[in-house]
Amino acid sequence: MTRLIKILSLGLVLLLGAGLAFAGDDNGLTEKYTLWIGGHYTDFNDYAKKAGEYNLGNDEFLPEFKLNYFSRSDRGIFRLDGHYYDDKNINAEIRTTISDVFKGKFMYRSLIKQASQNLLTEIEAREYFESTGVAGGKMLTHEILDPGADYNTHRQEILGQVSLLLSRKNNVRMIAAHRTILTTGSEQKISSNHCFSCHLTSQTAEVDKRKHQFEAGVDAETGKFDIGYRFGYRYFEPEATDASTYYDPAKHPLSGGAAAEFSSRVIYHDSTMAFSTYPTTEKTSHKVRVKGDVGKGRFSGAAGYSRAENKNTSLTTDAWSGSLNYTVPLNPKTRLVAKFAATRLSADDPFIDLPTWRDGATDGNEYNFDYTRYSALDRRTGKLTAELITRLNKKMTLSVLAGYDRVERYDYPLPDDGTETSKLIGQAKLRIRKGLKYSSTVKYRFESISDPYVSARGMFEESGHDVLTPLVPTSTWIFYFQREDLRYQDITTQPTQVHQFEWRSNYRPNNKVVVNLGVKGKYDKNGDLDSLDVEHFSLAPNLNFNLIPDQRWALTAGYAYNYDKSRLPVTVALFDG
Amino acid sequence: MADYENKVHNIYFTANFNPTQMVRLFGTVTFNKAQGALQEVLMPDPEARLEGDLEDQDFDFENAPSYSDLDYKLLKFSLGVEYKLTPTVTLTADGDYADLTDNEGYIYGIESGSYFMIRTGVKLDL
């Protein structure tokens, strides 16, 4: 809290100082204050956490105030807006502009969010023998250690931004910004025990997360080109004590025996351990931008590099990105907009070091399950679009777009044996305008996708497992994960064809009435799956009226409807001890 | 395979009325109705695919779709009045009311509840 107060105080002092500096110069000074002082009373009935999601949730009276201040002089503008609703819901913003030399912004935003408790009532099942009417011993259960817990989180965001003109020659301008986001409170955490004592346990956990972001850079105009550079740094750290839970001793779920056998299959058991932890992460980024005129057209381009690291595990992800946009008029009525973007993402491949199964077994019946986990994040992407925009006549503008996207996941499902997804895009848009009275836009977009992302593990399992080979030479056992070899049918909800339609219209018969009417529709499907029939359909019409019958009245009314339908595979979880 | 359907309706109305130069009245009404439901689950017949004795197995999925039903209604009212006592002093009063009806309940149980807020104050324009 002390650090928060220091940050708030420093930001306020700097910007208020800047504001007072030019407010002291009364050349053409105009000032306006608005102060509102009052209070509010809140009352909740029945379940408060949904209807009053962003309130403290208490039946109480609280003071409240708002302050707005605006001043303008020959040297610049100073603005302050603040609203205190309660001690968890506060907004404050200060903006200062001093000629074209200095711009500053300081913002503090605080809000609370209530969270409901997952009652886990669906986590309740037990084996049952229908022929004998007897319940079995294999079961799935849950345990709520904190029934009726009051979960909520308090989010505070502090932002400071400055922009300073360093040199009028080439308009060299420096920018710097810092953002801190603090999240405190409590949340529900659910731990899952091993399959031999299959149950979930819910408990309250403290939330204390801190994120710091810093950005600095410089922009300049070099005559023909505008160039810029940005450095970014982000650090996230959890300050709360990790939640911990007790993991049961490994043993047979019914007889309670075979402890040595079961315990040799798990990394931990019969111990209290931290779970559901947040990693400390750090990210640095560099980005250069350039824009200017080439030939008859104008271009803009950017190149970037970033590295993110999980400080707990020392795993890193590197990302390279580049983009280039070019706009050129082909004739007085037609222009071409071409865009290209590419990225490359590379993540560390951690070695998973597991205890040896049945370590030290005298019959040689032991096995080492260590492996390297290759990342599905590893990929190269490329996007290319070209859009032709032409004015057909005084009322109509037509644009036609063609595009191509490609994603290469070169380490998924196996290293250097990845999948490639390609997407072809076609789009047409017609805009009709009749003065200020009427305008309408119609758009259709089509996408054809080959090899969309699929789970490499398949969905259905062939009957029987006698085709599988035991991993351990001295054992006939087949492990659960080996049964993945029996699975067939790629599973995905990603489409191979997408059709999108949109119509928007605006009708303004006079200065008193405005009518907006529109509809969006989308249909997609995947026709490349053997026995699955994946498709989605959505439709969203909307209607809005604005009416100002006279200077005393202003009315707005509207209706929006959203319909979504998805046809997807459904799986049922089965358990057998 | 199964179909999942979502239907969301939103209706809103806002009004601003200045009967005199000293008085301003304003209000908003919004109504939101959201429903989501899984349709009939069409599962393959496991007894035709598996070998062995299945007499103790129960593959009845009749009630599976009802688990995920969602049905919310949210009605919100907001009303306010401002009365200008002098060119620089204005009295204000406004209030919000929200009523949520949860007809199905999901993993959080039934979430029906209401929220009421009334606020009064004085505004100084300097």
Side-chain angles (χ1 to χ4, degrees):
Chain A
M1 184 55 75
T2 306
R3 187 191 299 177
L4 172 64
I5 293 170
K6 285 180 181 174
I7 294 170
L8 285 170
S9 304
L10 181 63
L12 282 168
V13 166
L14 286 174
L15 284 172
L16 284 172
L20 291 171
F22 82 84
D25 180 1
D26 60 358
N27 289 335
L29 179 65
T30 305
E31 289 182 295
K32 181 174 169 54
Y33 302 84
T34 302
L35 173 66
W36 180 89
I37 300 172
H40 65 260
Y41 174 77
T42 49
D43 180 65
F44 296 87
N45 286 300
D46 298 325
Y47 193 78
K49 286 183 172 289
K50 194 73 174 178
E53 191 172 2
Y54 295 97
N55 262 273
L56 295 174
N58 300 324
D59 298 342
E60 60 188 358
F61 175 82
L62 291 170
E64 181 179 349
F65 68 87
K66 297 177 189 175
L67 173 67
N68 304 96
Y69 170 74
F70 175 81
S71 70
R72 179 198 294 271
S73 76
D74 294 342
R75 296 182 59 193
I77 297 170
F78 181 81
R79 177 173 220 128
L80 186 154
D81 299 290
H83 181 196
Y84 175 91
Y85 179 79
D86 57 42
D87 63 349
K88 297 288 193 296
N89 290 281
I90 303 167
N91 281 306
E93 184 173 307
I94 299 172
R95 287 176 182 266
T96 302
T97 300
I98 301 178
S99 66
D100 62 343
V101 175
F102 177 81
K103 282 184 185 174
K105 176 183 172 182
F106 174 81
M107 185 198 75
Y108 174 70
R109 187 158 50 193
S110 162
L111 65 88
I112 195 161
K113 186 176 188 305
Q114 304 284 347
S116 300
Q117 183 179 47
N118 186 338
L119 303 176
L120 300 178
T121 48
E122 77 280 15
I123 309 297
E124 200 73 55
R126 187 172 183 180
E127 182 181 39
Y128 176 71
F129 299 101
E130 191 173 15
S131 57
T132 58
V134 176
K138 298 167 187 169
M139 63 183 77
L140 170 66
T141 59
H142 69 270
E143 185 179 18
I144 304 274
L145 298 178
D146 54 349
D150 180 18
Y151 305 125
N152 61 68
T153 50
H154 179 208
R155 182 183 188 276
Q156 297 175 88
E157 179 179 356
I158 306 131
L159 170 71
Q161 284 179 334
V162 292
S163 168
L164 183 65
L165 184 67
L166 298 179
S167 167
R168 291 197 186 281
K169 184 183 180 185
N170 295 328
N171 272 334
V172 180
R173 183 175 289 277
M174 181 206 77
I175 70 103
H178 180 268
R179 184 197 301 267
T180 297
I181 298 174
L182 309 174
T183 310
T184 55
S186 62
E187 64 181 346
Q188 181 179 24
K189 288 205 171 177
I190 300 168
S191 59
S192 172
N193 244 285
H194 299 295
C195 67
F196 44 77
S197 60
C198 195
H199 68 272
L200 304 186
T201 304
S202 164
Q203 60 178 281
T204 302
E206 179 193 3
V207 175
D208 190 352
K209 296 185 282 191
R210 299 174 186 198
K211 182 158 76 175
H212 299 280
Q213 289 175 277
F214 173 74
E215 185 181 59
V218 62
D219 295 327
E221 297 169 7
T222 61
K224 201 169 184 181
F225 301 114
D226 297 346
I227 56 173
Y229 166 76
R230 292 287 183 278
F231 167 76
Y233 178 78
R234 187 178 70 198
Y235 191 81
F236 170 85
E237 61 179 340
E239 290 284 328
T241 306
D242 289 338
S244 60
T245 192
Y246 174 70
Y247 288 92
D248 297 329
K251 55 190 178 184
H252 192 277
L254 291 182
S255 68
E261 176 60 45
F262 276 80
S263 62
S264 71
R265 306 181 195 184
V266 292
I267 304 171
Y268 52 87
H269 72 117
D270 193 16
S271 57
T272 299
M273 300 184 67
F275 75 103
S276 188
T277 59
Y278 295 100
T280 298
T281 59
E282 183 183 61
K283 182 181 178 182
T284 54
S285 63
H286 305 268
K287 189 173 185 179
V288 291
R289 294 180 293 125
V290 59
K291 61 183 179 182
D293 298 324
V294 171
K296 293 181 180 176
R298 183 157 183 83
F299 83 99
S300 64
Y305 167 75
S306 67
R307 163 168 278 216
E309 180 179 2
N310 181 330
K311 306 293 279 185
N312 295 18
T313 59
S314 298
L315 292 174
T316 62
T317 303
D318 294 291
W320 294 262
S321 64
S323 66
L324 188 63
N325 301 336
Y326 185 63
T327 304
V328 59
L330 301 179
N331 61 50
K333 292 185 177 179
T334 306
R335 64 191 165 99
L336 174 70
V337 180
K339 297 181 179 179
F340 171 73
T343 59
R344 185 175 189 277
L345 201 61
S346 179
D348 283 348
D349 302 317
F351 179 71
I352 309 298
D353 186 10
L354 297 170
T356 301
W357 180 61
R358 288 182 168 174
D359 191 17
T362 54
D363 59 358
N365 196 358
E366 63 178 20
Y367 197 79
N368 186 346
F369 287 103
D370 293 351
Y371 69 102
T372 299
R373 193 186 69 197
Y374 294 92
S375 176
L377 288 174
D378 293 346
R379 65 188 58 194
R380 283 184 288 265
T381 69
K383 294 184 177 185
L384 178 66
T385 61
E387 185 176 18
L388 207 59
I389 304 167
T390 185
R391 195 171 178 85
L392 299 175
N393 54 45
K394 286 184 178 178
K395 294 179 181 175
M396 291 194 284
T397 302
L398 175 69
S399 82
V400 179
L401 179 144
Y404 176 73
D405 288 3
R406 185 176 179 85
V407 180
E408 296 176 8
R409 300 175 194 85
Y410 44 87
D411 278 346
Y412 185 82
L414 297 171
D416 299 322
D417 185 22
T419 57
E420 296 170 358
T421 300
S422 299
K423 182 192 290 184
L424 289 170
I425 302 163
Q427 177 181 295
K429 186 164 71 174
L430 179 66
R431 187 174 187 203
I432 304 167
R433 174 180 285 275
K434 188 176 179 182
L436 296 174
K437 195 170 184 181
Y438 179 76
S439 70
S440 181
T441 302
V442 183
K443 186 175 94 172
Y444 170 74
R445 182 183 177 95
F446 173 72
E447 296 177 1
S448 174
I449 303 120
S450 67
D451 298 318
Y453 179 81
V454 298
S455 165
R457 294 186 169 183
M459 181 178 186
F460 303 129
E461 188 177 289
E462 297 283 4
S463 179
H465 64 265
D466 51 346
V467 297
L468 300 175
T469 305
L471 273 181
V472 183
T474 56
S475 170
T476 58
W477 286 13
I478 300 294
F479 293 88
Y480 276 127
F481 75 88
Q482 285 184 266
R483 298 184 70 93
E484 290 178 5
D485 292 343
L486 297 173
R487 292 185 188 175
Y488 65 97
Q489 179 57 74
D490 292 338
I491 175 173
T492 185
T493 57
Q494 300 294 311
T496 53
Q497 279 187 32
V498 181
H499 303 266
Q500 285 176 272
F501 173 79
E502 183 177 349
W503 174 59
R504 294 195 311 265
S505 68
N506 176 282
Y507 179 56
R508 188 192 296 263
N510 53 52
N511 289 333
K512 296 180 177 179
V513 180
V514 179
V515 181
N516 295 297
L517 180 63
V519 62
K520 285 183 182 179
K522 183 178 179 183
Y523 171 74
D524 67 56
K525 67 173 184 177
N526 190 324
D528 291 350
L529 301 170
D530 296 334
S531 55
L532 298 179
D533 183 21
V534 171
E535 60 183 16
H536 307 85
F537 174 70
S538 66
L539 191 67
N542 67 83
L543 174 65
N544 181 76
F545 290 99
N546 288 309
L547 182 63
I548 306 176
D550 58 43
Q551 290 187 338
R552 297 180 305 162
W553 281 96
L555 304 170
T556 302
Y559 171 75
Y561 176 66
N562 199 92
Y563 175 79
D564 289 292
K565 184 175 182 180
S566 299
R567 168 156 290 200
L568 302 166
V570 174
T571 60
V572 177
L574 298 176
F575 67 102
D576 190 24
Chain B
M1 300 296 294
D3 289 338
Y4 189 83
E5 274 188 336
N6 267 316
K7 297 173 186 173
V8 181
H9 302 262
N10 269 301
I11 302 170
Y12 55 91
F13 173 75
T14 67
N16 256 288
F17 180 47
N18 297 295
T20 70
Q21 291 207 338
M22 292 189 299
V23 179
R24 184 171 87 91
L25 300 164
F26 51 93
T28 302
V29 181
T30 61
F31 176 70
N32 173 277
K33 179 177 170 61
Q35 291 175 296
L38 197 66
Q39 307 303 300
E40 183 186 8
V41 177
L42 302 173
M43 299 295 284
D45 179 10
E47 296 188 34
R49 290 170 176 248
L50 300 177
E51 300 168 356
D53 180 10
L54 291 173
E55 64 174 326
D56 290 329
Q57 309 287 348
D58 181 3
F59 292 105
D60 179 8
F61 302 107
E62 186 182 349
N63 296 319
S66 61
Y67 161 69
S68 60
D69 285 355
L70 301 173
D71 188 353
Y72 290 101
K73 287 177 192 168
L74 178 62
L75 181 63
K76 281 186 173 180
F77 284 104
S78 158
L79 284 173
V81 60
E82 290 183 359
Y83 183 77
K84 201 180 272 282
L85 283 177
T86 72
T88 58
V89 180
T90 305
L91 297 179
T92 71
D94 64 286
D96 291 339
Y97 175 74
D99 183 67
L100 178 80
T101 305
D102 179 2
N103 288 320
E104 292 288 348
Y106 194 44
I107 57 175
Y108 305 116
I110 297 291
E111 296 180 284
S112 295
S114 65
Y115 153 73
F116 173 71
M117 187 272 289
I118 188 164
R119 171 165 42 203
T120 58
V122 59
K123 186 167 74 174
L124 308 172
D125 290 297
L126 304 170

